[in-house]
Amino acid sequence: MPPVVGKRPNFFIVGAPKCGTTSLYEYLRQHPEVFMAHDGQHYWRSKEPYYFCEELIAREGMGVHTEEEYLKLFEGATGQPRIGESSALYLYSEQAPTRIKAFAPDARILIMLRHPVEMMMSWHRDCLRWGHEDIVDFREAIEVADQRRAGMRLPPASGYPGCLQYLEMATFSMQVERYVHVFGAEQVKVCLLDDFARDPAATFREVALFLGIDPSFTPSFDVHNEQVALTQAHYLRHRMMNWARAHARWARSIHRALPFRVDRWIEAALTPIARRTLKVSVESSYLALLQRQLTPEIERLGSVIGRDLGPWMSLF
């Protein structure tokens, strides 16, 4: 049984994004020996506070920024031996491992992974949906990586422009090694989304044993934060909001000058296209090319986590 050390997190789901972290968070939240940071009114801000990876967050209002604000997320804990949070960008962050280690030296680290090309596609769509990305074509979004490193071709007011480096985001082996180096292999557990899909109960038992909590408890294995159809309304709404963020003075002037609520006008304007699907261009030949390009990385990751990832070599 892990020691109780006040109302401070002692385990972290650190990523990767779009690899099942939200589902794992919800499964663990059901366990009577676990408290997860959760606020129904501000779900994503409490579930993903991003406190230890501030270098990746560029938009005001995303995440929490002070230790006092961070610790308030865990005030509701009532003696559970495991207290945790889930910020899926921690895995990609170069700073997060050492910052978490300084905050909670004995913390347990949970990492969720999937096929890197699948992750890249899903992450691109998610960034489009929430207004962090404005290049609809998947291949183009990847191929402008160098320009974006130089500060060009970046969407206005993106919440995490540094996380639009899709190939780097999917280079999992180095990211896992960073955590193993900082925490030691015994404090880090890697789970594959494939395993949860194939046998969620057995995989959850492994997680419970790793955390030192009752492995006989079985949560409801609903899928959470599943990829939804991307619509024109999703894309345009957030582009408008981001324009307003990037041109705050103009946006406030327009808002004061107009005799009606701008948000209601935007809602009315978007209603006719609300259900129209946004077509994201993904060529199967390009996915196969990406898979070949990532073959050395997949092989290296398999070696790092001690898993045979052969099936990933022929997914596309």
mmCIF file of all heavy atoms in Angstrom, residues 242-284:
data_model
loop_
_atom_site.group_PDB
_atom_site.id
_atom_site.type_symbol
_atom_site.label_atom_id
_atom_site.label_comp_id
_atom_site.label_asym_id
_atom_site.label_seq_id
_atom_site.Cartn_x
_atom_site.Cartn_y
_atom_site.Cartn_z
ATOM 1 N N ASN A 242 -9.997 32.462 -31.995
ATOM 2 C CA ASN A 242 -8.563 32.725 -31.952
ATOM 3 C C ASN A 242 -8.224 34.064 -32.598
ATOM 4 O O ASN A 242 -7.289 34.745 -32.164
ATOM 5 C CB ASN A 242 -7.799 31.586 -32.633
ATOM 6 C CG ASN A 242 -7.756 30.344 -31.772
ATOM 7 O OD1 ASN A 242 -8.140 30.382 -30.605
ATOM 8 N ND2 ASN A 242 -7.312 29.238 -32.332
ATOM 9 N N TRP A 243 -8.956 34.417 -33.663
ATOM 10 C CA TRP A 243 -8.741 35.742 -34.241
ATOM 11 C C TRP A 243 -9.038 36.812 -33.190
ATOM 12 O O TRP A 243 -8.289 37.786 -33.050
ATOM 13 C CB TRP A 243 -9.642 35.954 -35.460
ATOM 14 C CG TRP A 243 -9.389 37.281 -36.120
ATOM 15 C CD1 TRP A 243 -8.520 37.556 -37.129
ATOM 16 C CD2 TRP A 243 -10.012 38.533 -35.773
ATOM 17 N NE1 TRP A 243 -8.554 38.902 -37.446
ATOM 18 C CE2 TRP A 243 -9.455 39.524 -36.624
ATOM 19 C CE3 TRP A 243 -10.976 38.906 -34.836
ATOM 20 C CZ2 TRP A 243 -9.844 40.859 -36.563
ATOM 21 C CZ3 TRP A 243 -11.343 40.247 -34.759
ATOM 22 C CH2 TRP A 243 -10.788 41.201 -35.631
ATOM 23 N N ALA A 244 -10.116 36.610 -32.445
ATOM 24 C CA ALA A 244 -10.474 37.587 -31.410
ATOM 25 C C ALA A 244 -9.402 37.655 -30.328
ATOM 26 O O ALA A 244 -9.083 38.733 -29.821
ATOM 27 C CB ALA A 244 -11.827 37.219 -30.799
ATOM 28 N N ARG A 245 -8.820 36.498 -29.972
ATOM 29 C CA ARG A 245 -7.754 36.498 -28.968
ATOM 30 C C ARG A 245 -6.522 37.240 -29.485
ATOM 31 O O ARG A 245 -5.864 37.972 -28.750
ATOM 32 C CB ARG A 245 -7.374 35.059 -28.613
ATOM 33 C CG ARG A 245 -8.423 34.298 -27.822
ATOM 34 C CD ARG A 245 -7.868 32.954 -27.374
ATOM 35 N NE ARG A 245 -8.862 32.192 -26.625
ATOM 36 C CZ ARG A 245 -9.577 31.195 -27.116
ATOM 37 N NH1 ARG A 245 -9.422 30.841 -28.386
ATOM 38 N NH2 ARG A 245 -10.452 30.551 -26.371
ATOM 39 N N ALA A 246 -6.195 37.018 -30.760
ATOM 40 C CA ALA A 246 -4.992 37.631 -31.336
ATOM 41 C C ALA A 246 -5.182 39.123 -31.625
ATOM 42 O O ALA A 246 -4.201 39.849 -31.767
ATOM 43 C CB ALA A 246 -4.605 36.895 -32.624
ATOM 44 N N HIS A 247 -6.435 39.565 -31.733
ATOM 45 C CA HIS A 247 -6.723 40.972 -32.022
ATOM 46 C C HIS A 247 -7.700 41.486 -30.964
ATOM 47 O O HIS A 247 -8.784 41.985 -31.287
ATOM 48 C CB HIS A 247 -7.316 41.132 -33.423
ATOM 49 C CG HIS A 247 -6.446 40.583 -34.525
ATOM 50 N ND1 HIS A 247 -6.467 39.248 -34.872
ATOM 51 C CD2 HIS A 247 -5.520 41.175 -35.324
ATOM 52 C CE1 HIS A 247 -5.599 39.046 -35.852
ATOM 53 N NE2 HIS A 247 -5.003 40.193 -36.140
ATOM 54 N N ALA A 248 -7.293 41.350 -29.725
ATOM 55 C CA ALA A 248 -8.209 41.624 -28.609
ATOM 56 C C ALA A 248 -8.754 43.045 -28.645
ATOM 57 O O ALA A 248 -9.944 43.269 -28.391
ATOM 58 C CB ALA A 248 -7.491 41.360 -27.284
ATOM 59 N N ARG A 249 -7.905 44.037 -28.981
ATOM 60 C CA ARG A 249 -8.373 45.425 -28.975
ATOM 61 C C ARG A 249 -9.461 45.627 -30.028
ATOM 62 O O ARG A 249 -10.503 46.231 -29.771
ATOM 63 C CB ARG A 249 -7.206 46.372 -29.234
ATOM 64 C CG ARG A 249 -7.607 47.845 -29.140
ATOM 65 C CD ARG A 249 -6.460 48.755 -29.540
ATOM 66 N NE ARG A 249 -5.299 48.555 -28.681
ATOM 67 C CZ ARG A 249 -4.146 49.192 -28.872
ATOM 68 N NH1 ARG A 249 -4.004 50.031 -29.901
ATOM 69 N NH2 ARG A 249 -3.128 48.979 -28.054
ATOM 70 N N TRP A 250 -9.216 45.127 -31.235
ATOM 71 C CA TRP A 250 -10.216 45.254 -32.289
ATOM 72 C C TRP A 250 -11.494 44.509 -31.925
ATOM 73 O O TRP A 250 -12.592 44.994 -32.143
ATOM 74 C CB TRP A 250 -9.662 44.702 -33.610
ATOM 75 C CG TRP A 250 -8.597 45.537 -34.231
ATOM 76 C CD1 TRP A 250 -7.939 46.595 -33.667
ATOM 77 C CD2 TRP A 250 -8.066 45.393 -35.543
ATOM 78 N NE1 TRP A 250 -7.019 47.109 -34.544
ATOM 79 C CE2 TRP A 250 -7.069 46.397 -35.704
ATOM 80 C CE3 TRP A 250 -8.321 44.519 -36.596
ATOM 81 C CZ2 TRP A 250 -6.345 46.538 -36.881
ATOM 82 C CZ3 TRP A 250 -7.599 44.661 -37.776
ATOM 83 C CH2 TRP A 250 -6.620 45.649 -37.909
ATOM 84 N N ALA A 251 -11.319 43.304 -31.388
ATOM 85 C CA ALA A 251 -12.490 42.481 -31.058
ATOM 86 C C ALA A 251 -13.361 43.189 -30.022
ATOM 87 O O ALA A 251 -14.594 43.189 -30.124
ATOM 88 C CB ALA A 251 -12.034 41.121 -30.547
ATOM 89 N N ARG A 252 -12.731 43.827 -29.025
ATOM 90 C CA ARG A 252 -13.514 44.527 -28.007
ATOM 91 C C ARG A 252 -14.244 45.731 -28.623
ATOM 92 O O ARG A 252 -15.396 46.000 -28.284
ATOM 93 C CB ARG A 252 -12.602 44.992 -26.867
ATOM 94 C CG ARG A 252 -12.188 43.863 -25.923
ATOM 95 C CD ARG A 252 -11.568 44.418 -24.639
ATOM 96 N NE ARG A 252 -10.322 45.124 -24.914
ATOM 97 C CZ ARG A 252 -9.130 44.548 -24.877
ATOM 98 N NH1 ARG A 252 -9.019 43.250 -24.591
ATOM 99 N NH2 ARG A 252 -8.031 45.252 -25.119
ATOM 100 N N SER A 253 -13.567 46.419 -29.534
ATOM 101 C CA SER A 253 -14.192 47.579 -30.180
ATOM 102 C C SER A 253 -15.401 47.160 -31.008
ATOM 103 O O SER A 253 -16.456 47.794 -30.966
ATOM 104 C CB SER A 253 -13.174 48.306 -31.066
ATOM 105 O OG SER A 253 -12.093 48.795 -30.292
ATOM 106 N N ILE A 254 -15.242 46.067 -31.764
ATOM 107 C CA ILE A 254 -16.358 45.560 -32.576
ATOM 108 C C ILE A 254 -17.508 45.139 -31.683
ATOM 109 O O ILE A 254 -18.683 45.420 -31.960
ATOM 110 C CB ILE A 254 -15.873 44.384 -33.454
ATOM 111 C CG1 ILE A 254 -14.867 44.879 -34.500
ATOM 112 C CG2 ILE A 254 -17.055 43.684 -34.125
ATOM 113 C CD1 ILE A 254 -14.180 43.753 -35.254
ATOM 114 N N HIS A 255 -17.159 44.469 -30.585
ATOM 115 C CA HIS A 255 -18.195 43.983 -29.667
ATOM 116 C C HIS A 255 -18.990 45.154 -29.081
ATOM 117 O O HIS A 255 -20.224 45.089 -28.971
ATOM 118 C CB HIS A 255 -17.549 43.168 -28.545
ATOM 119 C CG HIS A 255 -18.544 42.543 -27.618
ATOM 120 N ND1 HIS A 255 -19.285 41.442 -27.951
ATOM 121 C CD2 HIS A 255 -18.923 42.886 -26.360
ATOM 122 C CE1 HIS A 255 -20.070 41.115 -26.935
ATOM 123 N NE2 HIS A 255 -19.873 41.974 -25.961
ATOM 124 N N ARG A 256 -18.293 46.250 -28.736
ATOM 125 C CA ARG A 256 -18.988 47.412 -28.172
ATOM 126 C C ARG A 256 -19.829 48.120 -29.227
ATOM 127 O O ARG A 256 -20.896 48.664 -28.928
ATOM 128 C CB ARG A 256 -17.972 48.391 -27.577
ATOM 129 C CG ARG A 256 -17.357 47.930 -26.253
ATOM 130 C CD ARG A 256 -16.629 49.090 -25.571
ATOM 131 N NE ARG A 256 -15.512 49.559 -26.373
ATOM 132 C CZ ARG A 256 -14.265 49.120 -26.233
ATOM 133 N NH1 ARG A 256 -13.986 48.190 -25.337
ATOM 134 N NH2 ARG A 256 -13.296 49.612 -26.991
ATOM 135 N N ALA A 257 -19.353 48.114 -30.483
ATOM 136 C CA ALA A 257 -20.039 48.876 -31.534
ATOM 137 C C ALA A 257 -21.301 48.191 -32.042
ATOM 138 O O ALA A 257 -22.259 48.860 -32.440
ATOM 139 C CB ALA A 257 -19.078 49.108 -32.708
ATOM 140 N N LEU A 258 -21.302 46.865 -32.018
ATOM 141 C CA LEU A 258 -22.440 46.152 -32.578
ATOM 142 C C LEU A 258 -23.608 46.117 -31.590
ATOM 143 O O LEU A 258 -23.408 45.931 -30.394
ATOM 144 C CB LEU A 258 -22.032 44.723 -32.941
ATOM 145 C CG LEU A 258 -21.029 44.601 -34.103
ATOM 146 C CD1 LEU A 258 -20.628 43.150 -34.291
ATOM 147 C CD2 LEU A 258 -21.618 45.158 -35.384
ATOM 148 N N PRO A 259 -24.838 46.280 -32.095
ATOM 149 C CA PRO A 259 -26.012 46.340 -31.208
ATOM 150 C C PRO A 259 -26.560 44.966 -30.842
ATOM 151 O O PRO A 259 -27.717 44.854 -30.472
ATOM 152 C CB PRO A 259 -27.019 47.130 -32.058
ATOM 153 C CG PRO A 259 -26.690 46.714 -33.452
ATOM 154 C CD PRO A 259 -25.187 46.550 -33.493
ATOM 155 N N PHE A 260 -25.770 43.904 -30.993
ATOM 156 C CA PHE A 260 -26.259 42.566 -30.658
ATOM 157 C C PHE A 260 -25.082 41.725 -30.175
ATOM 158 O O PHE A 260 -23.926 42.092 -30.330
ATOM 159 C CB PHE A 260 -26.936 41.903 -31.862
ATOM 160 C CG PHE A 260 -26.107 41.941 -33.119
ATOM 161 C CD1 PHE A 260 -25.083 41.022 -33.343
ATOM 162 C CD2 PHE A 260 -26.345 42.915 -34.086
ATOM 163 C CE1 PHE A 260 -24.325 41.075 -34.492
ATOM 164 C CE2 PHE A 260 -25.575 42.962 -35.244
ATOM 165 C CZ PHE A 260 -24.569 42.052 -35.449
ATOM 166 N N ARG A 261 -25.409 40.620 -29.577
ATOM 167 C CA ARG A 261 -24.385 39.731 -29.042
ATOM 168 C C ARG A 261 -23.626 39.051 -30.178
ATOM 169 O O ARG A 261 -24.201 38.340 -31.003
ATOM 170 C CB ARG A 261 -25.036 38.643 -28.168
ATOM 171 C CG ARG A 261 -25.552 39.149 -26.821
ATOM 172 C CD ARG A 261 -24.422 39.218 -25.797
ATOM 173 N NE ARG A 261 -23.800 37.916 -25.622
ATOM 174 C CZ ARG A 261 -24.255 36.981 -24.778
ATOM 175 N NH1 ARG A 261 -25.352 37.201 -24.071
ATOM 176 N NH2 ARG A 261 -23.618 35.829 -24.654
ATOM 177 N N VAL A 262 -22.295 39.287 -30.239
ATOM 178 C CA VAL A 262 -21.486 38.720 -31.313
ATOM 179 C C VAL A 262 -21.510 37.206 -31.272
ATOM 180 O O VAL A 262 -21.589 36.542 -32.307
ATOM 181 C CB VAL A 262 -20.036 39.248 -31.222
ATOM 182 C CG1 VAL A 262 -19.162 38.580 -32.279
ATOM 183 C CG2 VAL A 262 -20.007 40.754 -31.376
ATOM 184 N N ASP A 263 -21.476 36.638 -30.057
ATOM 185 C CA ASP A 263 -21.447 35.176 -29.969
ATOM 186 C C ASP A 263 -22.728 34.565 -30.520
ATOM 187 O O ASP A 263 -22.702 33.501 -31.155
ATOM 188 C CB ASP A 263 -21.200 34.719 -28.536
ATOM 189 C CG ASP A 263 -22.210 35.273 -27.545
ATOM 190 O OD1 ASP A 263 -22.938 36.217 -27.892
ATOM 191 O OD2 ASP A 263 -22.254 34.759 -26.413
ATOM 192 N N ARG A 264 -23.869 35.246 -30.337
ATOM 193 C CA ARG A 264 -25.131 34.726 -30.880
ATOM 194 C C ARG A 264 -25.133 34.836 -32.411
ATOM 195 O O ARG A 264 -25.660 33.974 -33.102
ATOM 196 C CB ARG A 264 -26.309 35.490 -30.286
ATOM 197 C CG ARG A 264 -26.530 35.192 -28.811
ATOM 198 C CD ARG A 264 -27.710 35.967 -28.252
ATOM 199 N NE ARG A 264 -27.910 35.696 -26.839
ATOM 200 C CZ ARG A 264 -28.782 36.320 -26.066
ATOM 201 N NH1 ARG A 264 -29.569 37.265 -26.599
ATOM 202 N NH2 ARG A 264 -28.892 36.035 -24.795
ATOM 203 N N TRP A 265 -24.540 35.908 -32.924
ATOM 204 C CA TRP A 265 -24.446 36.057 -34.373
ATOM 205 C C TRP A 265 -23.572 34.956 -34.963
ATOM 206 O O TRP A 265 -23.912 34.369 -35.987
ATOM 207 C CB TRP A 265 -23.869 37.422 -34.705
ATOM 208 C CG TRP A 265 -23.688 37.640 -36.186
ATOM 209 C CD1 TRP A 265 -24.625 38.039 -37.090
ATOM 210 C CD2 TRP A 265 -22.481 37.444 -36.921
ATOM 211 N NE1 TRP A 265 -24.087 38.117 -38.352
ATOM 212 C CE2 TRP A 265 -22.771 37.751 -38.282
ATOM 213 C CE3 TRP A 265 -21.189 37.056 -36.584
ATOM 214 C CZ2 TRP A 265 -21.810 37.670 -39.279
ATOM 215 C CZ3 TRP A 265 -20.233 36.980 -37.577
ATOM 216 C CH2 TRP A 265 -20.540 37.287 -38.906
ATOM 217 N N ILE A 266 -22.444 34.672 -34.304
ATOM 218 C CA ILE A 266 -21.558 33.604 -34.778
ATOM 219 C C ILE A 266 -22.281 32.262 -34.744
ATOM 220 O O ILE A 266 -22.211 31.473 -35.693
ATOM 221 C CB ILE A 266 -20.274 33.557 -33.925
ATOM 222 C CG1 ILE A 266 -19.423 34.805 -34.184
ATOM 223 C CG2 ILE A 266 -19.477 32.290 -34.220
ATOM 224 C CD1 ILE A 266 -18.208 34.912 -33.287
ATOM 225 N N GLU A 267 -23.008 32.005 -33.649
ATOM 226 C CA GLU A 267 -23.749 30.749 -33.547
ATOM 227 C C GLU A 267 -24.775 30.619 -34.667
ATOM 228 O O GLU A 267 -24.912 29.563 -35.292
ATOM 229 C CB GLU A 267 -24.435 30.668 -32.188
ATOM 230 C CG GLU A 267 -25.188 29.361 -31.956
ATOM 231 C CD GLU A 267 -25.832 29.305 -30.582
ATOM 232 O OE1 GLU A 267 -25.622 30.238 -29.789
ATOM 233 O OE2 GLU A 267 -26.551 28.327 -30.311
ATOM 234 N N ALA A 268 -25.488 31.721 -34.947
ATOM 235 C CA ALA A 268 -26.489 31.694 -36.008
ATOM 236 C C ALA A 268 -25.844 31.484 -37.369
ATOM 237 O O ALA A 268 -26.363 30.750 -38.216
ATOM 238 C CB ALA A 268 -27.301 32.993 -36.002
ATOM 239 N N ALA A 269 -24.686 32.116 -37.576
ATOM 240 C CA ALA A 269 -23.994 31.988 -38.856
ATOM 241 C C ALA A 269 -23.483 30.576 -39.078
ATOM 242 O O ALA A 269 -23.447 30.085 -40.215
ATOM 243 C CB ALA A 269 -22.840 32.986 -38.921
ATOM 244 N N LEU A 270 -23.093 29.901 -37.992
ATOM 245 C CA LEU A 270 -22.521 28.568 -38.125
ATOM 246 C C LEU A 270 -23.568 27.462 -38.159
ATOM 247 O O LEU A 270 -23.274 26.351 -38.596
ATOM 248 C CB LEU A 270 -21.555 28.298 -36.958
ATOM 249 C CG LEU A 270 -20.272 29.129 -36.937
ATOM 250 C CD1 LEU A 270 -19.468 28.809 -35.693
ATOM 251 C CD2 LEU A 270 -19.430 28.865 -38.178
ATOM 252 N N THR A 271 -24.786 27.764 -37.725
ATOM 253 C CA THR A 271 -25.818 26.726 -37.649
ATOM 254 C C THR A 271 -26.026 25.981 -38.969
ATOM 255 O O THR A 271 -26.110 24.755 -38.981
ATOM 256 C CB THR A 271 -27.146 27.322 -37.147
ATOM 257 O OG1 THR A 271 -26.953 27.820 -35.823
ATOM 258 C CG2 THR A 271 -28.248 26.268 -37.147
ATOM 259 N N PRO A 272 -26.099 26.671 -40.124
ATOM 260 C CA PRO A 272 -26.339 25.940 -41.376
ATOM 261 C C PRO A 272 -25.247 24.938 -41.735
ATOM 262 O O PRO A 272 -25.491 23.990 -42.490
ATOM 263 C CB PRO A 272 -26.419 27.065 -42.430
ATOM 264 C CG PRO A 272 -26.773 28.287 -41.661
ATOM 265 C CD PRO A 272 -26.095 28.129 -40.345
ATOM 266 N N ILE A 273 -24.024 25.144 -41.218
ATOM 267 C CA ILE A 273 -22.944 24.218 -41.580
ATOM 268 C C ILE A 273 -22.509 23.360 -40.399
ATOM 269 O O ILE A 273 -21.488 22.671 -40.469
ATOM 270 C CB ILE A 273 -21.726 24.989 -42.130
ATOM 271 C CG1 ILE A 273 -21.152 25.929 -41.063
ATOM 272 C CG2 ILE A 273 -22.071 25.740 -43.389
ATOM 273 C CD1 ILE A 273 -19.814 26.532 -41.448
ATOM 274 N N ALA A 274 -23.285 23.409 -39.307
ATOM 275 C CA ALA A 274 -22.866 22.748 -38.075
ATOM 276 C C ALA A 274 -22.596 21.264 -38.268
ATOM 277 O O ALA A 274 -21.721 20.698 -37.639
ATOM 278 C CB ALA A 274 -23.917 22.954 -36.987
ATOM 279 N N ARG A 275 -23.355 20.632 -39.156
ATOM 280 C CA ARG A 275 -23.208 19.188 -39.336
ATOM 281 C C ARG A 275 -22.385 18.825 -40.573
ATOM 282 O O ARG A 275 -22.213 17.642 -40.875
ATOM 283 C CB ARG A 275 -24.587 18.527 -39.418
ATOM 284 C CG ARG A 275 -25.406 18.694 -38.140
ATOM 285 C CD ARG A 275 -26.735 17.984 -38.233
ATOM 286 N NE ARG A 275 -27.532 18.172 -37.040
ATOM 287 C CZ ARG A 275 -27.401 17.449 -35.922
ATOM 288 N NH1 ARG A 275 -26.499 16.487 -35.875
ATOM 289 N NH2 ARG A 275 -28.163 17.677 -34.871
ATOM 290 N N ARG A 276 -21.890 19.812 -41.275
ATOM 291 C CA ARG A 276 -21.128 19.546 -42.485
ATOM 292 C C ARG A 276 -19.718 19.068 -42.107
ATOM 293 O O ARG A 276 -18.989 19.761 -41.402
ATOM 294 C CB ARG A 276 -21.042 20.796 -43.341
ATOM 295 C CG ARG A 276 -20.535 20.566 -44.754
ATOM 296 C CD ARG A 276 -20.544 21.859 -45.530
ATOM 297 N NE ARG A 276 -21.885 22.450 -45.581
ATOM 298 C CZ ARG A 276 -22.117 23.701 -45.943
ATOM 299 N NH1 ARG A 276 -21.114 24.498 -46.255
ATOM 300 N NH2 ARG A 276 -23.354 24.164 -45.968
ATOM 301 N N THR A 277 -19.338 17.900 -42.552
ATOM 302 C CA THR A 277 -18.054 17.316 -42.176
ATOM 303 C C THR A 277 -16.904 18.068 -42.821
ATOM 304 O O THR A 277 -16.952 18.413 -44.001
ATOM 305 C CB THR A 277 -17.994 15.837 -42.593
ATOM 306 O OG1 THR A 277 -19.060 15.125 -41.939
ATOM 307 C CG2 THR A 277 -16.668 15.206 -42.194
ATOM 308 N N LEU A 278 -15.879 18.320 -42.015
ATOM 309 C CA LEU A 278 -14.652 18.915 -42.539
ATOM 310 C C LEU A 278 -13.767 17.779 -43.038
ATOM 311 O O LEU A 278 -13.402 16.883 -42.282
ATOM 312 C CB LEU A 278 -13.927 19.703 -41.443
ATOM 313 C CG LEU A 278 -12.606 20.352 -41.845
ATOM 314 C CD1 LEU A 278 -12.858 21.487 -42.840
ATOM 315 C CD2 LEU A 278 -11.869 20.878 -40.628
ATOM 316 N N LYS A 279 -13.453 17.804 -44.314
ATOM 317 C CA LYS A 279 -12.655 16.731 -44.902
ATOM 318 C C LYS A 279 -11.179 16.982 -44.665
ATOM 319 O O LYS A 279 -10.621 17.975 -45.129
ATOM 320 C CB LYS A 279 -12.949 16.615 -46.408
ATOM 321 C CG LYS A 279 -14.375 16.169 -46.708
ATOM 322 C CD LYS A 279 -14.599 16.013 -48.209
ATOM 323 C CE LYS A 279 -16.025 15.547 -48.493
ATOM 324 N NZ LYS A 279 -16.271 15.395 -49.955
ATOM 325 N N VAL A 280 -10.557 16.093 -43.901
ATOM 326 C CA VAL A 280 -9.123 16.175 -43.627
ATOM 327 C C VAL A 280 -8.416 15.246 -44.594
ATOM 328 O O VAL A 280 -8.635 14.035 -44.587
ATOM 329 C CB VAL A 280 -8.815 15.783 -42.175
ATOM 330 C CG1 VAL A 280 -7.313 15.867 -41.907
ATOM 331 C CG2 VAL A 280 -9.585 16.683 -41.209
ATOM 332 N N SER A 281 -7.573 15.795 -45.440
ATOM 333 C CA SER A 281 -6.907 15.017 -46.475
ATOM 334 C C SER A 281 -5.812 14.139 -45.872
ATOM 335 O O SER A 281 -4.872 14.635 -45.237
ATOM 336 C CB SER A 281 -6.295 15.969 -47.512
ATOM 337 O OG SER A 281 -5.544 15.252 -48.467
ATOM 338 N N VAL A 282 -5.968 12.818 -46.034
ATOM 339 C CA VAL A 282 -4.956 11.851 -45.578
ATOM 340 C C VAL A 282 -4.819 10.784 -46.655
ATOM 341 O O VAL A 282 -5.713 9.971 -46.852
ATOM 342 C CB VAL A 282 -5.349 11.189 -44.241
ATOM 343 C CG1 VAL A 282 -4.235 10.257 -43.776
ATOM 344 C CG2 VAL A 282 -5.648 12.232 -43.171
ATOM 345 N N GLU A 283 -3.706 10.796 -47.368
ATOM 346 C CA GLU A 283 -3.481 9.812 -48.425
ATOM 347 C C GLU A 283 -2.890 8.536 -47.826
ATOM 348 O O GLU A 283 -1.936 8.592 -47.043
ATOM 349 C CB GLU A 283 -2.522 10.376 -49.472
ATOM 350 C CG GLU A 283 -3.027 11.629 -50.159
ATOM 351 C CD GLU A 283 -1.978 12.245 -51.076
ATOM 352 O OE1 GLU A 283 -0.856 11.677 -51.155
ATOM 353 O OE2 GLU A 283 -2.269 13.273 -51.698
ATOM 354 N N SER A 284 -3.460 7.384 -48.211
ATOM 355 C CA SER A 284 -2.972 6.111 -47.667
ATOM 356 C C SER A 284 -1.501 5.882 -48.011
ATOM 357 O O SER A 284 -0.739 5.327 -47.207
ATOM 358 C CB SER A 284 -3.822 4.948 -48.187
ATOM 359 O OG SER A 284 -3.812 4.913 -49.608
#
